[in-house]
Amino acid sequence: DAMVIQNPRYQVTQFGKPVTLSCSQTLNHNVMYWYQQKSSQAPKLLFHYYDKDFNNEADTPDNFQSRRPNTSFCFLDIRSPGLGDAAMYLCATSRDRIETQYFGPGTRLLVL
Amino acid sequence: QQPVQSPQAVILREGEDAVINCSSSKALYSVHWYRQKHGEAPVFLMILLKGGEQKGHEKISASFNEKKQQSSLYLTASQLSYSGTYFCGTEPAGGNQGGKLIFGQGTELSVKP
C-alpha cells in the first residue's frame, strides 16, 4: 500500500523546458517536503509546506517553485531546468513537525 | 551547517559490528537516522529526541548525546540486507525550525558474505 507516491518515476526534459513533478500522499499528513538529491550526496531540502504555510529554504533557486492545492498533493515546478538540476527529487511527508518523515520513491530528472 | 558523519565508508563481513557517528557544530533538538539503498528512497530507522536517549530496533540501535551534539548508530551482527548508505538528519535546537532536517553526507556500508 503506497503511502507517498511520486510521478513520474523518471522524467527527461530539455534544457530550459518547464517540468512539473508531482507527489501525493494517503497518510493525511500536515507537512510535505521536497528534497533534491544529487549522486552520492545527501538529500537537500528545497522547501516544505506545513498545511498551507509555505517555507522556502534561503538557498533554493528561484527557478524552483511549489504548489500544494490540497492536503494530499504537492507539486514541484522547475521553470527553466538547467543541466545542474539533473538529480533525484524526493518528496516526504510527516504528520507534524519533528516527527518521522516518510519518503516517496523519488523522481529521477534528466536534463538534455 | 551540515552534520559530519564518520566513517565515510565501511566494509563488513556478515555478522560483524559497526558504529556510524554523526556530529554537529550546532545544538540539536533531534537526530533522525535513515538508510538508503542505491536508486531507492531513504527509509526511516529511528528518531532520537532527548539527550542521552537510546533506542533499539532489532540489531540496530542508536544513542544521542545532546551535550556533545553527537549521535551514534550501532549495527550488531550485520546482515547482507544492512548494506546501503546511512544518513543522519539533524534538527537544530531552538526556534521554529518547522521540522526540517539537515542531512549528513552519508556513510556507505557494504556487508559481504
Side-chain angles (χ1 to χ4, degrees):
Chain A
D1 294 337
M3 296 183 291
V4 183
I5 303 161
Q6 291 188 243
N7 286 304
R9 295 293 308 277
Y10 299 91
Q11 176 74 59
V12 181
T13 190
Q14 292 178 337
F15 183 93
K17 185 175 181 180
V19 66
T20 295
L21 310 181
S22 75
C23 176
S24 63
Q25 54 133 339
T26 60
L27 299 164
N28 202 34
H29 281 176
N30 285 321
V31 194
M32 295 187 78
Y33 306 82
W34 278 106
Y35 291 88
Q36 178 192 64
Q37 186 177 27
K38 297 188 175 181
S39 181
S40 302
Q41 295 184 20
K44 179 179 177 297
L45 183 65
L46 296 173
F47 23 60
H48 75 279
Y49 276 93
Y50 183 80
D51 196 13
K52 295 181 181 180
D53 183 25
F54 177 70
N55 297 271
N56 196 32
E57 292 303 298
D59 56 355
T60 298
D62 292 339
N63 201 22
F64 290 80
Q65 305 285 322
S66 185
R67 298 171 281 135
R68 189 179 186 186
N70 53 53
T71 300
S72 300
F73 285 87
C74 194
F75 299 96
L76 170 61
D77 301 307
I78 308 176
R79 292 190 296 187
S80 182
L83 299 178
D85 296 329
M88 173 78 89
Y89 289 88
L90 295 163
C91 173
T93 74
S94 65
R95 186 176 59 176
D96 207 329
R97 297 181 172 121
I98 320 172
E99 294 204 21
T100 303
Q101 293 188 21
Y102 296 90
F103 284 82
T107 294
R108 186 168 294 281
L109 178 68
L110 181 62
V111 182
L112 301 178
Chain B
Q1 269 63 17
Q2 185 179 36
V4 176
Q5 289 184 230
S6 63
Q8 289 190 334
V10 58
I11 299 174
L12 299 174
R13 290 287 181 189
E14 213 172 354
E16 292 181 338
D17 301 341
V19 179
I20 300 172
N21 300 302
C22 175
S23 180
S24 173
S25 60
K26 298 279 190 180
L28 298 177
Y29 181 86
S30 68
V31 179
H32 304 224
W33 284 97
Y34 288 83
R35 176 172 60 213
Q36 184 177 31
K37 294 186 182 283
H38 184 69
E40 299 179 9
V43 173
F44 172 77
L45 294 175
M46 62 191 76
I47 177 175
L48 300 109
L49 293 175
K50 302 175 185 176
E53 184 176 31
Q54 293 195 25
K55 281 192 174 181
H57 176 69
E58 295 183 345
K59 295 178 181 176
I60 300 176
S61 61
S63 64
F64 176 29
N65 187 323
E66 188 178 19
K67 289 184 179 179
K68 292 186 176 180
Q69 297 155 194
Q70 292 176 347
S71 179
S72 295
L73 185 72
Y74 307 94
L75 300 104
T76 58
S78 59
Q79 305 169 13
L80 296 177
S81 62
Y82 287 3
S83 293
T85 301
Y86 288 77
F87 290 100
C88 67
T90 58
E91 180 174 10
N96 183 7
Q97 300 294 329
K100 63 182 186 182
L101 297 177
I102 304 170
F103 285 93
Q105 81 278 19
T107 295
E108 188 170 355
L109 181 80
S110 297
V111 182
K112 307 292 185 184

